[in-house]
Amino acid sequence: MDESVSFVKQNFLNAFGESPSVVSRAPGRVEVLGNHTDYNEGYVLSFAVDKGVWAACGGSTTEQIKLLSSHYGDSPITLHETVPQKENPWTNYPLGVYAVLRDNGFPVRPFNMAVYGNVPLGAGLSSSAALEVACGIALTTLFDFQVEPAELAKHCQRAEHTFAGTHCGLLDQFSSIFGKKDHVLFIDFRSLDHQTIPLPSHNLCVAVTTSGISHSLVESAYNERREECARAATFFSRSDPSVRTLRDISPERLMSAKGALDDTAYRRALHIVGENERVLNGIQLLRQGDLVQFGKLLHQSHESSRVNFENSCPELDTLVDIAGMIEGVYGSRLTGGGFGGATLSLLDWESREEFEAKIREKYTAKTGAEANVYFASVDDGARVVEP
Ligand code: ADP
Ligand code: MG
């Protein structure tokens, strides 16, 4: 049996004096291409990775929910009320999932749960979605009811909004649920249609590198970008009511508005429209087996973030520049919201040691900050592990 499964089962047994009825596992995810496109109803490519969260779960004879995480002590936390928790904030993720399912009429009851995860927290791999989805899958199995996977993703997202207070997009939960080993997941954020496309290599290493930089204004900068994108879309919808978001704008149409649209809104739109194009081109390149050209799209995406969307920073640019000079690296770009945070690089597994050594050394030499590198492979989406 998988070590993580036996570990989480043992933790459950130690804490609750019996074996769990269900064990689930949900992976972390990484945004590969399609930056800030989700709220513009555009396209994204993402991976589920081989780091995840395991949840061991059993019914309770009491009216309380008891939660234990190997990250946060040895004894379970007893929750008396289904309201957002100030103490032990991590419990908001499982509690939120429970509350949202209950409020949507699903037959959930109080439960005991032990969690183990190896997704680094806050590193850009979405440990929070992995935790929510693992919990959601465990509860549907424990209490024997069905939820459409896309609906479950939305319930988990809602849990994060209302209980953890983080206004995350749906990408994280969708990727954790629908990701597939050695495939990239394509999501259309207008229709929520999704499909997986096989990767041309079984030797692809995913490196997520944290910059150690987090800007205090991330939230306001993010909202500002959303407003700028909406402003650009409104410019077009005034003369064409069929335009709802930047998703409806082709590169040619955008180009024809240069000069008429204010420069900031134009560049923001250029990024979004360009990202949508790159995602569609990227799918074609992967189908043709061309990882080298695919990697170049990652660099173009970063360049567009730097120049057009202005959601990069000197540290992320440095990480991407260093990665670009390392043999065996296909491409590199900032991943997620930006303004600090992490980069994604795609490389061959053989290049992993050289990658880590060069990134760490050169990054610190240039910026004085410290980078952490997490390697992963592309893995399957969430599932019930036991029974
Ligand atoms: P990210 O999702 O990018 O990793 P977030 O800040 O959204 O970062 O979520 C991290 C939070 O999720 C942690 O602070 C913790 O509350 C919760 N979390 C993630 N994994 C676990 C785990 N294995 N056990 C308990 N809490 C976890
Ligand atoms: Mg998160």
Side-chain angles (χ1 to χ4, degrees):
M1 194 196 324
D2 185 323
E3 268 174 32
S4 309
V5 178
S6 28
F7 182 69
V8 78
K9 284 175 72 176
Q10 188 62 46
N11 287 355
F12 187 95
L13 180 64
N14 294 347
F16 303 112
E18 58 183 17
S19 294
S21 309
V22 180
V23 181
S24 62
R25 182 247 177 208
R29 67 90 190 98
V30 64
E31 170 201 296
V32 179
L33 209 51
N35 184 245
H36 283 257
T37 49
D38 55 353
Y39 56 84
N40 289 293
E41 298 186 322
Y43 308 127
V44 180
L45 296 180
S46 69
F47 291 145
V49 296
D50 64 343
K51 299 195 181 332
V53 169
W54 286 258
C57 206
S60 168
T61 48
T62 72
E63 285 306 307
Q64 288 139 8
I65 293 171
K66 293 188 180 165
L67 302 171
L68 170 74
S69 165
S70 56
H71 279 311
Y72 299 98
D74 299 324
S75 31
I77 292 157
T78 302
L79 304 173
H80 298 279
E81 271 187 296
T82 316
V83 293
Q85 304 290 305
K86 286 205 180 66
E87 252 178 86
N88 306 306
W90 76 268
T91 58
N92 282 311
Y93 299 93
L95 184 63
V97 172
Y98 165 82
V100 170
L101 289 173
R102 184 197 61 186
D103 295 349
N104 278 276
F106 294 105
V108 286
R109 295 264 315 126
F111 61 96
N112 297 326
M113 183 179 276
V115 168
Y116 162 71
N118 58 9
V119 187
L121 310 184
L125 286 162
S126 200
S127 63
S128 58
L131 176 55
E132 291 146 22
V133 171
C135 177
I137 299 232
L139 292 181
T140 58
T141 311
L142 181 66
F143 297 110
D144 197 19
F145 59 92
Q146 306 279 324
V147 192
E148 282 294 315
E151 287 306 308
L152 183 63
K154 289 184 197 167
H155 293 318
C156 289
Q157 181 198 28
R158 180 118 287 271
E160 183 151 347
H161 287 187
T162 53
F163 272 68
T166 308
H167 286 267
C168 56
L170 194 56
L171 171 70
D172 304 356
Q173 295 80 6
F174 242 72
S175 308
S176 182
I177 289 179
F178 293 112
K180 187 170 168 186
K181 188 175 169 60
D182 293 332
H183 285 63
V184 70
L185 176 68
F186 166 71
I187 308 168
D188 176 338
F189 273 92
R190 171 162 284 170
S191 61
L192 292 185
D193 285 346
H194 51 91
Q195 55 173 296
T196 53
I197 298 111
L199 291 169
S201 162
H202 295 289
N203 189 33
L204 192 67
C205 172
V206 176
V208 172
T209 307
T210 56
S211 63
I213 304 297
S214 57
H215 285 290
S216 53
L217 296 175
V218 171
E219 184 92 12
S220 63
Y222 179 85
N223 290 335
E224 197 178 275
R225 291 299 177 278
R226 284 188 81 128
E227 282 160 22
E228 290 160 349
C229 289
R231 189 166 85 228
T234 305
F235 171 87
F236 291 99
S237 65
R238 264 192 236 116
S239 55
D240 175 0
S242 75
V243 173
R244 265 172 40 196
T245 61
L246 288 176
R247 152 68 174 270
D248 300 305
I249 305 302
S250 68
E252 297 73 29
R253 192 165 178 190
L254 178 61
M255 212 112 73
S256 71
K258 194 171 166 66
L261 184 57
D262 73 87
D263 180 60
T264 302
Y266 179 79
R267 284 182 298 121
R268 304 306 186 239
L270 198 56
H271 181 65
I272 302 303
V273 171
E275 285 294 278
N276 284 335
E277 282 286 296
R278 281 185 281 278
V279 167
L280 298 179
N281 290 341
I283 292 172
Q284 293 312 317
L285 289 168
L286 290 177
R287 289 200 196 286
Q288 291 159 17
D290 197 341
L291 260 180
V292 172
Q293 288 304 320
F294 183 78
K296 291 191 175 153
L297 293 177
L298 268 60
H299 276 294
Q300 289 169 18
S301 166
H302 186 81
E303 195 53 17
S304 175
S305 270
R306 190 176 72 78
V307 176
N308 297 322
F309 213 65
E310 295 180 283
N311 63 331
S312 188
C313 61
E315 291 83 0
L316 291 174
D317 297 341
T318 301
L319 285 176
V320 169
D321 287 347
I322 300 169
M325 289 184 290
I326 300 170
E327 182 87 25
V329 173
Y330 294 101
S332 185
R333 59 178 283 266
L334 72 80
T335 185
F339 312 105
T343 63
L344 158 77
S345 308
L346 299 182
L347 51 145
D348 290 326
W349 276 101
E350 297 75 45
S351 304
R352 161 194 164 132
E353 276 173 24
E354 189 192 344
F355 182 88
E356 182 162 8
K358 286 207 168 136
I359 288 273
R360 279 174 167 282
E361 183 205 314
K362 294 191 171 180
Y363 182 66
T364 303
K366 179 127 196 233
T367 65
E370 206 172 308
N372 270 315
V373 186
Y374 300 95
F375 293 108
S377 57
V378 182
D379 207 352
D380 284 323
R383 63 179 193 278
V384 175
V385 181
E386 289 188 9

